[in-house]
Amino acid sequence: MSLVTVHGQRDSSADAVHPLPGLSPRQSLRTCEDALAEDGLHPLRATGIEVLQVSLGKLCNMTCTHCHVDAEPTRREIMTRETAEACLAALASTDIPVLDLTGGAPEMNPHFRWLVQEARRLDRHVIDRCNLTILRAPGYTDLPEFLAAHRVEIVASLPCYLEENVDAQRGNRAFNRSIEVLRQLNGHGSRLGDDRKATD
């Protein structure tokens, strides 16, 4: 509750409860704990962890206007091998079934392929949050084969279905390059949708 002052004096109306129309003061102050308890759900308890999401850094081949981590080609904050090993050790010591790799462009981290291989060796499902255009960049054009060989789920990022919007956010020809990569992935047997249960 905010404190309202008028000429240095505390305004007692700041202490008044102003319930929503149709609700009594008690109803308007119902806590989350009360609501959970009434439904037999308090206290909340975790039932497990299903996904370990790991950001491999802010290095990216694109500079998108909407990027929430400000990833771009000049960023140098990337996960070290030591930290990647710690993530794998944590994964190995649990029954977490999914490793979700994100970034930046996670593929640009020098330990990306190693992480994928090791997670698959642990029989974990791996997700690559991919901006698509990285798969056409020099040094990464073999990634579609690598991802297919390791049965990695690609969560493709395409901010809009309109070419002009994508190009405005991601740069000239980003839309067409993304569509070309999707066609290439389809050529490697990738399918749209979540087929995790069917392939693992």
Short mmCIF file of all heavy atoms in Angstrom, two decimals, residues 91-160:
data_model
loop_
_atom_site.label_atom_id
_atom_site.label_comp_id
_atom_site.label_asym_id
_atom_site.label_seq_id
_atom_site.Cartn_x
_atom_site.Cartn_y
_atom_site.Cartn_z
N LEU A 91 22.76 -32.38 -14.94
CA LEU A 91 21.79 -33.17 -15.71
C LEU A 91 21.97 -34.66 -15.42
O LEU A 91 20.99 -35.38 -15.19
CB LEU A 91 21.98 -32.88 -17.20
CG LEU A 91 20.93 -33.44 -18.15
CD1 LEU A 91 19.58 -32.77 -17.92
CD2 LEU A 91 21.37 -33.25 -19.59
N ALA A 92 23.21 -35.11 -15.38
CA ALA A 92 23.49 -36.53 -15.16
C ALA A 92 23.09 -36.99 -13.76
O ALA A 92 22.77 -38.16 -13.56
CB ALA A 92 24.98 -36.80 -15.39
N SER A 93 23.09 -36.07 -12.80
CA SER A 93 22.77 -36.45 -11.42
C SER A 93 21.27 -36.41 -11.13
O SER A 93 20.86 -36.61 -9.99
CB SER A 93 23.50 -35.52 -10.45
OG SER A 93 22.98 -34.21 -10.53
N THR A 94 20.47 -36.14 -12.15
CA THR A 94 19.02 -36.05 -11.98
C THR A 94 18.33 -36.91 -13.03
O THR A 94 18.98 -37.50 -13.89
CB THR A 94 18.53 -34.60 -12.17
OG1 THR A 94 18.71 -34.23 -13.55
CG2 THR A 94 19.28 -33.63 -11.28
N ASP A 95 17.02 -36.91 -12.95
CA ASP A 95 16.25 -37.59 -14.00
C ASP A 95 15.55 -36.58 -14.91
O ASP A 95 14.57 -36.90 -15.56
CB ASP A 95 15.24 -38.56 -13.38
CG ASP A 95 14.24 -37.86 -12.48
OD1 ASP A 95 14.39 -36.64 -12.22
OD2 ASP A 95 13.29 -38.53 -12.02
N ILE A 96 16.08 -35.36 -14.97
CA ILE A 96 15.51 -34.34 -15.86
C ILE A 96 15.62 -34.86 -17.29
O ILE A 96 16.72 -35.15 -17.76
CB ILE A 96 16.24 -33.00 -15.71
CG1 ILE A 96 16.10 -32.46 -14.29
CG2 ILE A 96 15.71 -31.98 -16.73
CD1 ILE A 96 16.95 -31.24 -14.00
N PRO A 97 14.50 -34.98 -17.99
CA PRO A 97 14.55 -35.63 -19.30
C PRO A 97 14.94 -34.74 -20.48
O PRO A 97 15.27 -35.26 -21.54
CB PRO A 97 13.11 -36.13 -19.49
CG PRO A 97 12.27 -35.18 -18.70
CD PRO A 97 13.12 -34.76 -17.53
N VAL A 98 14.92 -33.41 -20.30
CA VAL A 98 15.11 -32.52 -21.45
C VAL A 98 16.18 -31.47 -21.15
O VAL A 98 16.15 -30.81 -20.11
CB VAL A 98 13.79 -31.80 -21.82
CG1 VAL A 98 13.99 -30.84 -22.99
CG2 VAL A 98 12.69 -32.81 -22.14
N LEU A 99 17.11 -31.31 -22.10
CA LEU A 99 18.08 -30.22 -22.07
C LEU A 99 17.69 -29.25 -23.18
O LEU A 99 17.65 -29.63 -24.35
CB LEU A 99 19.50 -30.73 -22.30
CG LEU A 99 20.58 -29.64 -22.37
CD1 LEU A 99 20.70 -28.89 -21.04
CD2 LEU A 99 21.93 -30.25 -22.76
N ASP A 100 17.40 -28.02 -22.81
CA ASP A 100 16.92 -26.98 -23.73
C ASP A 100 18.02 -25.94 -23.88
O ASP A 100 18.34 -25.22 -22.93
CB ASP A 100 15.64 -26.38 -23.14
CG ASP A 100 14.98 -25.35 -24.02
OD1 ASP A 100 15.59 -24.89 -25.00
OD2 ASP A 100 13.83 -24.98 -23.70
N LEU A 101 18.62 -25.86 -25.07
CA LEU A 101 19.75 -24.96 -25.32
C LEU A 101 19.27 -23.70 -26.01
O LEU A 101 18.62 -23.75 -27.05
CB LEU A 101 20.80 -25.68 -26.16
CG LEU A 101 21.36 -26.96 -25.54
CD1 LEU A 101 22.30 -27.66 -26.51
CD2 LEU A 101 22.05 -26.67 -24.21
N THR A 102 19.63 -22.57 -25.43
CA THR A 102 19.19 -21.29 -25.95
C THR A 102 20.36 -20.31 -25.92
O THR A 102 21.46 -20.63 -25.51
CB THR A 102 17.96 -20.78 -25.15
OG1 THR A 102 17.44 -19.61 -25.78
CG2 THR A 102 18.29 -20.49 -23.70
N GLY A 103 20.11 -19.09 -26.35
CA GLY A 103 21.16 -18.07 -26.38
C GLY A 103 20.54 -16.70 -26.52
O GLY A 103 19.43 -16.50 -26.05
N GLY A 104 21.18 -15.88 -27.26
CA GLY A 104 21.94 -15.82 -28.48
C GLY A 104 21.58 -16.95 -29.44
O GLY A 104 20.51 -17.51 -29.45
N ALA A 105 22.56 -17.20 -30.28
CA ALA A 105 22.48 -18.37 -31.15
C ALA A 105 23.29 -19.45 -30.44
O ALA A 105 24.52 -19.40 -30.45
CB ALA A 105 23.04 -18.07 -32.53
N PRO A 106 22.63 -20.41 -29.80
CA PRO A 106 23.38 -21.39 -29.00
C PRO A 106 24.41 -22.15 -29.82
O PRO A 106 25.45 -22.56 -29.31
CB PRO A 106 22.29 -22.31 -28.45
CG PRO A 106 21.09 -22.08 -29.29
CD PRO A 106 21.20 -20.68 -29.80
N GLU A 107 24.13 -22.30 -31.11
CA GLU A 107 25.03 -23.05 -31.99
C GLU A 107 26.40 -22.38 -32.11
O GLU A 107 27.38 -23.03 -32.48
CB GLU A 107 24.41 -23.19 -33.39
CG GLU A 107 23.03 -23.79 -33.40
CD GLU A 107 21.91 -22.77 -33.19
OE1 GLU A 107 22.19 -21.58 -32.92
OE2 GLU A 107 20.74 -23.17 -33.30
N MET A 108 26.48 -21.08 -31.82
CA MET A 108 27.75 -20.36 -31.95
C MET A 108 28.68 -20.58 -30.75
O MET A 108 29.86 -20.23 -30.82
CB MET A 108 27.49 -18.87 -32.17
CG MET A 108 26.81 -18.58 -33.49
SD MET A 108 26.58 -16.81 -33.80
CE MET A 108 28.24 -16.35 -34.31
N ASN A 109 28.16 -21.15 -29.69
CA ASN A 109 29.03 -21.48 -28.57
C ASN A 109 29.93 -22.63 -29.00
O ASN A 109 29.45 -23.63 -29.54
CB ASN A 109 28.20 -21.88 -27.35
CG ASN A 109 29.06 -22.17 -26.14
OD1 ASN A 109 29.82 -23.12 -26.13
ND2 ASN A 109 28.93 -21.34 -25.12
N PRO A 110 31.23 -22.53 -28.76
CA PRO A 110 32.14 -23.59 -29.23
C PRO A 110 31.88 -24.96 -28.59
O PRO A 110 32.38 -25.97 -29.08
CB PRO A 110 33.53 -23.06 -28.87
CG PRO A 110 33.31 -22.01 -27.84
CD PRO A 110 31.94 -21.44 -28.09
N HIS A 111 31.10 -25.00 -27.53
CA HIS A 111 30.83 -26.27 -26.84
C HIS A 111 29.44 -26.83 -27.17
O HIS A 111 29.03 -27.84 -26.60
CB HIS A 111 30.97 -26.08 -25.33
CG HIS A 111 32.23 -25.35 -24.98
ND1 HIS A 111 33.49 -25.83 -25.27
CD2 HIS A 111 32.42 -24.14 -24.40
CE1 HIS A 111 34.40 -24.97 -24.87
NE2 HIS A 111 33.78 -23.93 -24.35
N PHE A 112 28.74 -26.19 -28.09
CA PHE A 112 27.37 -26.60 -28.44
C PHE A 112 27.30 -28.06 -28.86
O PHE A 112 26.52 -28.85 -28.33
CB PHE A 112 26.81 -25.70 -29.54
CG PHE A 112 25.49 -26.14 -30.09
CD1 PHE A 112 24.32 -25.85 -29.41
CD2 PHE A 112 25.40 -26.85 -31.28
CE1 PHE A 112 23.08 -26.26 -29.90
CE2 PHE A 112 24.17 -27.27 -31.78
CZ PHE A 112 23.02 -26.97 -31.09
N ARG A 113 28.11 -28.44 -29.82
CA ARG A 113 28.05 -29.82 -30.35
C ARG A 113 28.41 -30.83 -29.26
O ARG A 113 27.79 -31.88 -29.16
CB ARG A 113 28.95 -29.97 -31.56
CG ARG A 113 28.47 -29.15 -32.75
CD ARG A 113 29.47 -29.20 -33.89
NE ARG A 113 29.22 -28.15 -34.86
CZ ARG A 113 28.88 -28.37 -36.13
NH1 ARG A 113 28.77 -29.59 -36.58
NH2 ARG A 113 28.68 -27.36 -36.94
N TRP A 114 29.41 -30.49 -28.47
CA TRP A 114 29.80 -31.38 -27.38
C TRP A 114 28.65 -31.56 -26.38
O TRP A 114 28.37 -32.67 -25.95
CB TRP A 114 31.05 -30.82 -26.70
CG TRP A 114 31.46 -31.59 -25.50
CD1 TRP A 114 32.16 -32.77 -25.48
CD2 TRP A 114 31.17 -31.26 -24.14
NE1 TRP A 114 32.33 -33.19 -24.18
CE2 TRP A 114 31.73 -32.28 -23.34
CE3 TRP A 114 30.50 -30.21 -23.53
CZ2 TRP A 114 31.63 -32.27 -21.96
CZ3 TRP A 114 30.41 -30.20 -22.15
CH2 TRP A 114 30.97 -31.22 -21.38
N LEU A 115 27.99 -30.45 -26.04
CA LEU A 115 26.85 -30.53 -25.12
C LEU A 115 25.75 -31.42 -25.68
O LEU A 115 25.18 -32.25 -24.97
CB LEU A 115 26.28 -29.13 -24.86
CG LEU A 115 26.85 -28.35 -23.70
CD1 LEU A 115 26.40 -26.90 -23.77
CD2 LEU A 115 26.41 -28.97 -22.38
N VAL A 116 25.45 -31.25 -26.96
CA VAL A 116 24.42 -32.07 -27.60
C VAL A 116 24.82 -33.54 -27.53
O VAL A 116 24.02 -34.40 -27.12
CB VAL A 116 24.20 -31.63 -29.06
CG1 VAL A 116 23.35 -32.65 -29.82
CG2 VAL A 116 23.54 -30.25 -29.11
N GLN A 117 26.04 -33.84 -27.92
CA GLN A 117 26.50 -35.23 -27.94
C GLN A 117 26.45 -35.86 -26.55
O GLN A 117 25.99 -37.00 -26.38
CB GLN A 117 27.92 -35.31 -28.50
CG GLN A 117 27.99 -34.99 -29.98
CD GLN A 117 29.41 -34.76 -30.47
OE1 GLN A 117 30.29 -34.35 -29.71
NE2 GLN A 117 29.63 -35.02 -31.75
N GLU A 118 26.91 -35.11 -25.55
CA GLU A 118 26.94 -35.65 -24.19
C GLU A 118 25.53 -35.82 -23.62
O GLU A 118 25.25 -36.80 -22.93
CB GLU A 118 27.80 -34.76 -23.29
CG GLU A 118 29.27 -34.78 -23.64
CD GLU A 118 29.87 -36.18 -23.61
OE1 GLU A 118 29.70 -36.87 -22.58
OE2 GLU A 118 30.49 -36.58 -24.60
N ALA A 119 24.66 -34.87 -23.89
CA ALA A 119 23.28 -34.99 -23.41
C ALA A 119 22.58 -36.18 -24.06
O ALA A 119 21.84 -36.92 -23.41
CB ALA A 119 22.51 -33.70 -23.66
N ARG A 120 22.83 -36.38 -25.34
CA ARG A 120 22.23 -37.53 -26.02
C ARG A 120 22.83 -38.83 -25.49
O ARG A 120 22.13 -39.83 -25.37
CB ARG A 120 22.43 -37.41 -27.54
CG ARG A 120 21.62 -36.29 -28.17
CD ARG A 120 20.12 -36.45 -27.98
NE ARG A 120 19.65 -37.61 -28.70
CZ ARG A 120 18.64 -38.39 -28.31
NH1 ARG A 120 17.99 -38.14 -27.20
NH2 ARG A 120 18.29 -39.42 -29.03
N ARG A 121 24.13 -38.80 -25.15
CA ARG A 121 24.76 -39.98 -24.56
C ARG A 121 24.09 -40.33 -23.23
O ARG A 121 24.02 -41.49 -22.84
CB ARG A 121 26.25 -39.72 -24.36
CG ARG A 121 27.04 -40.98 -24.08
CD ARG A 121 28.55 -40.76 -24.16
NE ARG A 121 28.92 -40.58 -25.56
CZ ARG A 121 29.67 -39.58 -26.02
NH1 ARG A 121 30.15 -38.69 -25.21
NH2 ARG A 121 29.95 -39.50 -27.29
N LEU A 122 23.59 -39.30 -22.53
CA LEU A 122 22.84 -39.52 -21.29
C LEU A 122 21.39 -39.90 -21.57
O LEU A 122 20.59 -40.02 -20.65
CB LEU A 122 22.87 -38.25 -20.43
CG LEU A 122 24.21 -37.84 -19.84
CD1 LEU A 122 24.12 -36.45 -19.20
CD2 LEU A 122 24.68 -38.88 -18.82
N ASP A 123 21.05 -40.04 -22.84
CA ASP A 123 19.70 -40.38 -23.28
C ASP A 123 18.68 -39.30 -22.92
O ASP A 123 17.55 -39.59 -22.55
CB ASP A 123 19.27 -41.74 -22.71
CG ASP A 123 18.09 -42.32 -23.49
OD1 ASP A 123 17.99 -42.05 -24.70
OD2 ASP A 123 17.27 -43.03 -22.88
N ARG A 124 19.11 -38.06 -23.02
CA ARG A 124 18.22 -36.93 -22.77
C ARG A 124 17.77 -36.33 -24.10
O ARG A 124 18.53 -36.30 -25.06
CB ARG A 124 18.90 -35.85 -21.92
CG ARG A 124 19.46 -36.38 -20.62
CD ARG A 124 18.40 -37.11 -19.77
NE ARG A 124 18.99 -37.93 -18.75
CZ ARG A 124 19.33 -37.51 -17.55
NH1 ARG A 124 19.15 -36.27 -17.21
NH2 ARG A 124 19.86 -38.34 -16.68
N HIS A 125 16.56 -35.87 -24.10
CA HIS A 125 16.03 -35.16 -25.27
C HIS A 125 16.67 -33.78 -25.30
O HIS A 125 16.77 -33.12 -24.26
CB HIS A 125 14.51 -35.05 -25.15
CG HIS A 125 13.87 -34.39 -26.32
ND1 HIS A 125 13.65 -35.03 -27.51
CD2 HIS A 125 13.42 -33.12 -26.49
CE1 HIS A 125 13.09 -34.19 -28.36
NE2 HIS A 125 12.94 -33.03 -27.76
N VAL A 126 17.11 -33.33 -26.46
CA VAL A 126 17.77 -32.03 -26.59
C VAL A 126 16.95 -31.13 -27.49
O VAL A 126 16.50 -31.54 -28.57
CB VAL A 126 19.20 -32.17 -27.15
CG1 VAL A 126 19.86 -30.80 -27.32
CG2 VAL A 126 20.05 -33.06 -26.24
N ILE A 127 16.76 -29.90 -27.03
CA ILE A 127 16.08 -28.87 -27.81
C ILE A 127 17.09 -27.79 -28.17
O ILE A 127 17.87 -27.34 -27.33
CB ILE A 127 14.93 -28.22 -27.00
CG1 ILE A 127 13.85 -29.25 -26.68
CG2 ILE A 127 14.34 -27.02 -27.75
CD1 ILE A 127 12.77 -28.73 -25.73
N ASP A 128 17.10 -27.40 -29.43
CA ASP A 128 17.92 -26.30 -29.91
C ASP A 128 16.99 -25.16 -30.29
O ASP A 128 16.21 -25.28 -31.23
CB ASP A 128 18.75 -26.75 -31.12
CG ASP A 128 19.52 -25.61 -31.78
OD1 ASP A 128 19.80 -24.60 -31.10
OD2 ASP A 128 19.84 -25.74 -32.98
N ARG A 129 17.07 -24.05 -29.57
CA ARG A 129 16.26 -22.87 -29.90
C ARG A 129 17.03 -22.08 -30.96
O ARG A 129 17.97 -21.37 -30.65
CB ARG A 129 15.97 -22.05 -28.65
CG ARG A 129 15.11 -22.83 -27.70
CD ARG A 129 14.50 -22.00 -26.60
NE ARG A 129 13.68 -22.87 -25.78
CZ ARG A 129 12.39 -23.09 -25.98
NH1 ARG A 129 11.76 -22.47 -26.97
NH2 ARG A 129 11.71 -23.91 -25.20
N CYS A 130 16.61 -22.26 -32.18
CA CYS A 130 17.39 -21.86 -33.34
C CYS A 130 16.74 -20.70 -34.10
O CYS A 130 15.54 -20.72 -34.36
CB CYS A 130 17.51 -23.08 -34.27
SG CYS A 130 18.47 -22.80 -35.74
N ASN A 131 17.56 -19.72 -34.49
CA ASN A 131 17.02 -18.60 -35.28
C ASN A 131 16.96 -18.93 -36.77
O ASN A 131 16.62 -18.08 -37.57
CB ASN A 131 17.82 -17.32 -35.02
CG ASN A 131 19.23 -17.35 -35.61
OD1 ASN A 131 19.51 -18.01 -36.61
ND2 ASN A 131 20.14 -16.62 -34.99
N LEU A 132 17.30 -20.13 -37.13
CA LEU A 132 17.29 -20.66 -38.49
C LEU A 132 18.42 -20.13 -39.37
O LEU A 132 19.12 -20.90 -40.00
CB LEU A 132 15.94 -20.44 -39.19
CG LEU A 132 14.75 -21.15 -38.55
CD1 LEU A 132 13.45 -20.73 -39.24
CD2 LEU A 132 14.91 -22.66 -38.62
N THR A 133 18.63 -18.83 -39.41
CA THR A 133 19.63 -18.28 -40.34
C THR A 133 21.04 -18.73 -40.00
O THR A 133 21.90 -18.77 -40.88
CB THR A 133 19.57 -16.75 -40.37
OG1 THR A 133 19.89 -16.23 -39.08
CG2 THR A 133 18.20 -16.26 -40.81
N ILE A 134 21.29 -19.10 -38.75
CA ILE A 134 22.63 -19.57 -38.37
C ILE A 134 22.99 -20.82 -39.16
O ILE A 134 24.16 -21.08 -39.45
CB ILE A 134 22.72 -19.83 -36.84
CG1 ILE A 134 24.16 -20.16 -36.43
CG2 ILE A 134 21.79 -20.95 -36.42
CD1 ILE A 134 25.14 -19.04 -36.62
N LEU A 135 22.00 -21.59 -39.57
CA LEU A 135 22.26 -22.84 -40.28
C LEU A 135 22.74 -22.62 -41.71
O LEU A 135 23.11 -23.57 -42.39
CB LEU A 135 21.02 -23.73 -40.25
CG LEU A 135 20.49 -24.08 -38.85
CD1 LEU A 135 19.29 -25.00 -38.94
CD2 LEU A 135 21.58 -24.70 -37.98
N ARG A 136 22.75 -21.37 -42.15
CA ARG A 136 23.29 -21.03 -43.47
C ARG A 136 24.57 -20.21 -43.36
O ARG A 136 25.16 -19.84 -44.37
CB ARG A 136 22.25 -20.27 -44.29
CG ARG A 136 21.07 -21.14 -44.66
CD ARG A 136 20.11 -20.48 -45.59
NE ARG A 136 20.71 -19.88 -46.76
CZ ARG A 136 20.85 -20.48 -47.94
NH1 ARG A 136 20.44 -21.71 -48.10
NH2 ARG A 136 21.38 -19.84 -48.96
N ALA A 137 24.99 -19.93 -42.16
CA ALA A 137 26.19 -19.11 -41.95
C ALA A 137 27.45 -19.96 -42.14
O ALA A 137 27.45 -21.16 -41.84
CB ALA A 137 26.17 -18.51 -40.55
N PRO A 138 28.52 -19.35 -42.65
CA PRO A 138 29.77 -20.09 -42.81
C PRO A 138 30.21 -20.73 -41.49
O PRO A 138 30.17 -20.11 -40.44
CB PRO A 138 30.77 -19.00 -43.25
CG PRO A 138 29.91 -17.94 -43.88
CD PRO A 138 28.62 -17.96 -43.10
N GLY A 139 30.59 -21.99 -41.57
CA GLY A 139 31.01 -22.73 -40.40
C GLY A 139 29.89 -23.49 -39.71
O GLY A 139 30.14 -24.28 -38.80
N TYR A 140 28.65 -23.26 -40.15
CA TYR A 140 27.50 -23.90 -39.50
C TYR A 140 26.60 -24.64 -40.48
O TYR A 140 25.58 -25.18 -40.09
CB TYR A 140 26.67 -22.84 -38.75
CG TYR A 140 27.47 -22.11 -37.71
CD1 TYR A 140 28.08 -20.89 -38.01
CD2 TYR A 140 27.66 -22.64 -36.45
CE1 TYR A 140 28.84 -20.22 -37.06
CE2 TYR A 140 28.42 -21.98 -35.50
CZ TYR A 140 29.01 -20.77 -35.81
OH TYR A 140 29.76 -20.12 -34.87
N THR A 141 26.98 -24.68 -41.74
CA THR A 141 26.10 -25.27 -42.76
C THR A 141 25.94 -26.78 -42.61
O THR A 141 25.01 -27.35 -43.18
CB THR A 141 26.60 -24.94 -44.18
OG1 THR A 141 27.96 -25.38 -44.31
CG2 THR A 141 26.52 -23.43 -44.44
N ASP A 142 26.81 -27.42 -41.84
CA ASP A 142 26.66 -28.86 -41.61
C ASP A 142 25.78 -29.16 -40.40
O ASP A 142 25.52 -30.33 -40.09
CB ASP A 142 28.03 -29.51 -41.43
CG ASP A 142 28.74 -29.01 -40.17
OD1 ASP A 142 28.58 -27.81 -39.83
OD2 ASP A 142 29.44 -29.81 -39.53
N LEU A 143 25.32 -28.13 -39.71
CA LEU A 143 24.50 -28.35 -38.52
C LEU A 143 23.19 -29.09 -38.78
O LEU A 143 22.79 -29.90 -37.94
CB LEU A 143 24.22 -27.03 -37.80
CG LEU A 143 25.26 -26.63 -36.76
CD1 LEU A 143 24.97 -25.25 -36.21
CD2 LEU A 143 25.32 -27.65 -35.62
N PRO A 144 22.50 -28.86 -39.89
CA PRO A 144 21.27 -29.65 -40.10
C PRO A 144 21.52 -31.16 -40.03
O PRO A 144 20.75 -31.89 -39.41
CB PRO A 144 20.79 -29.21 -41.49
CG PRO A 144 21.28 -27.79 -41.59
CD PRO A 144 22.64 -27.82 -40.93
N GLU A 145 22.61 -31.62 -40.63
CA GLU A 145 22.94 -33.04 -40.58
C GLU A 145 23.28 -33.46 -39.15
O GLU A 145 22.86 -34.52 -38.68
CB GLU A 145 24.12 -33.36 -41.51
CG GLU A 145 23.80 -33.20 -42.98
CD GLU A 145 24.01 -31.78 -43.50
OE1 GLU A 145 24.41 -30.88 -42.71
OE2 GLU A 145 23.76 -31.55 -44.69
N PHE A 146 24.05 -32.63 -38.46
CA PHE A 146 24.43 -32.93 -37.08
C PHE A 146 23.19 -33.03 -36.19
O PHE A 146 23.05 -33.97 -35.40
CB PHE A 146 25.39 -31.85 -36.55
CG PHE A 146 25.70 -31.98 -35.09
CD1 PHE A 146 26.70 -32.82 -34.65
CD2 PHE A 146 24.98 -31.24 -34.15
CE1 PHE A 146 26.99 -32.95 -33.29
CE2 PHE A 146 25.26 -31.36 -32.79
CZ PHE A 146 26.26 -32.22 -32.37
N LEU A 147 22.31 -32.05 -36.31
CA LEU A 147 21.10 -32.03 -35.48
C LEU A 147 20.21 -33.23 -35.78
O LEU A 147 19.65 -33.85 -34.88
CB LEU A 147 20.35 -30.71 -35.67
CG LEU A 147 21.11 -29.45 -35.22
CD1 LEU A 147 20.37 -28.20 -35.67
CD2 LEU A 147 21.34 -29.45 -33.72
N ALA A 148 20.10 -33.57 -37.06
CA ALA A 148 19.29 -34.73 -37.44
C ALA A 148 19.92 -36.02 -36.91
O ALA A 148 19.23 -36.89 -36.39
CB ALA A 148 19.14 -34.79 -38.96
N ALA A 149 21.23 -36.13 -37.03
CA ALA A 149 21.92 -37.35 -36.58
C ALA A 149 21.76 -37.57 -35.08
O ALA A 149 21.72 -38.71 -34.62
CB ALA A 149 23.41 -37.27 -36.94
N HIS A 150 21.66 -36.47 -34.33
CA HIS A 150 21.52 -36.58 -32.88
C HIS A 150 20.08 -36.41 -32.41
O HIS A 150 19.82 -36.32 -31.22
CB HIS A 150 22.44 -35.57 -32.19
CG HIS A 150 23.88 -35.92 -32.34
ND1 HIS A 150 24.63 -35.54 -33.42
CD2 HIS A 150 24.69 -36.68 -31.57
CE1 HIS A 150 25.85 -36.01 -33.30
NE2 HIS A 150 25.92 -36.72 -32.19
N ARG A 151 19.17 -36.39 -33.38
CA ARG A 151 17.73 -36.32 -33.09
C ARG A 151 17.39 -35.16 -32.17
O ARG A 151 16.67 -35.29 -31.19
CB ARG A 151 17.26 -37.65 -32.54
CG ARG A 151 17.45 -38.76 -33.57
CD ARG A 151 17.29 -40.12 -33.00
NE ARG A 151 15.93 -40.32 -32.53
CZ ARG A 151 15.53 -41.46 -31.99
NH1 ARG A 151 16.36 -42.45 -31.86
NH2 ARG A 151 14.30 -41.59 -31.56
N VAL A 152 17.93 -34.00 -32.51
CA VAL A 152 17.70 -32.78 -31.74
C VAL A 152 16.41 -32.13 -32.22
O VAL A 152 16.20 -31.97 -33.43
CB VAL A 152 18.89 -31.81 -31.88
CG1 VAL A 152 18.59 -30.47 -31.22
CG2 VAL A 152 20.15 -32.43 -31.29
N GLU A 153 15.57 -31.75 -31.28
CA GLU A 153 14.36 -31.01 -31.61
C GLU A 153 14.74 -29.55 -31.84
O GLU A 153 15.39 -28.93 -30.99
CB GLU A 153 13.35 -31.10 -30.48
CG GLU A 153 12.09 -30.29 -30.72
CD GLU A 153 11.13 -30.32 -29.54
OE1 GLU A 153 11.35 -31.10 -28.58
OE2 GLU A 153 10.15 -29.55 -29.58
N ILE A 154 14.35 -29.01 -32.97
CA ILE A 154 14.64 -27.61 -33.28
C ILE A 154 13.38 -26.80 -33.02
O ILE A 154 12.33 -27.06 -33.61
CB ILE A 154 15.08 -27.45 -34.75
CG1 ILE A 154 16.34 -28.25 -35.01
CG2 ILE A 154 15.28 -25.97 -35.08
CD1 ILE A 154 16.69 -28.37 -36.48
N VAL A 155 13.50 -25.85 -32.12
CA VAL A 155 12.43 -24.88 -31.90
C VAL A 155 12.84 -23.65 -32.68
O VAL A 155 13.74 -22.91 -32.28
CB VAL A 155 12.22 -24.58 -30.41
CG1 VAL A 155 11.17 -23.49 -30.23
CG2 VAL A 155 11.81 -25.84 -29.66
N ALA A 156 12.23 -23.49 -33.84
CA ALA A 156 12.63 -22.44 -34.77
C ALA A 156 12.00 -21.11 -34.41
O ALA A 156 10.82 -21.04 -34.09
CB ALA A 156 12.24 -22.84 -36.19
N SER A 157 12.80 -20.08 -34.50
CA SER A 157 12.35 -18.74 -34.18
C SER A 157 12.10 -17.97 -35.47
O SER A 157 13.00 -17.79 -36.28
CB SER A 157 13.43 -18.04 -33.35
OG SER A 157 13.16 -16.68 -33.22
N LEU A 158 10.88 -17.55 -35.65
CA LEU A 158 10.51 -16.69 -36.78
C LEU A 158 9.46 -15.73 -36.23
O LEU A 158 8.34 -16.14 -35.95
CB LEU A 158 9.95 -17.54 -37.93
CG LEU A 158 9.82 -16.85 -39.28
CD1 LEU A 158 11.17 -16.38 -39.81
CD2 LEU A 158 9.17 -17.79 -40.28
N PRO A 159 9.81 -14.46 -36.04
CA PRO A 159 8.94 -13.56 -35.28
C PRO A 159 7.62 -13.19 -35.95
O PRO A 159 6.75 -12.64 -35.29
CB PRO A 159 9.81 -12.33 -35.06
CG PRO A 159 10.81 -12.36 -36.15
CD PRO A 159 11.05 -13.82 -36.44
N CYS A 160 7.47 -13.48 -37.22
CA CYS A 160 6.23 -13.12 -37.90
C CYS A 160 6.12 -13.95 -39.17
O CYS A 160 7.11 -14.46 -39.68
CB CYS A 160 6.20 -11.63 -38.22
SG CYS A 160 4.63 -11.04 -38.91
#
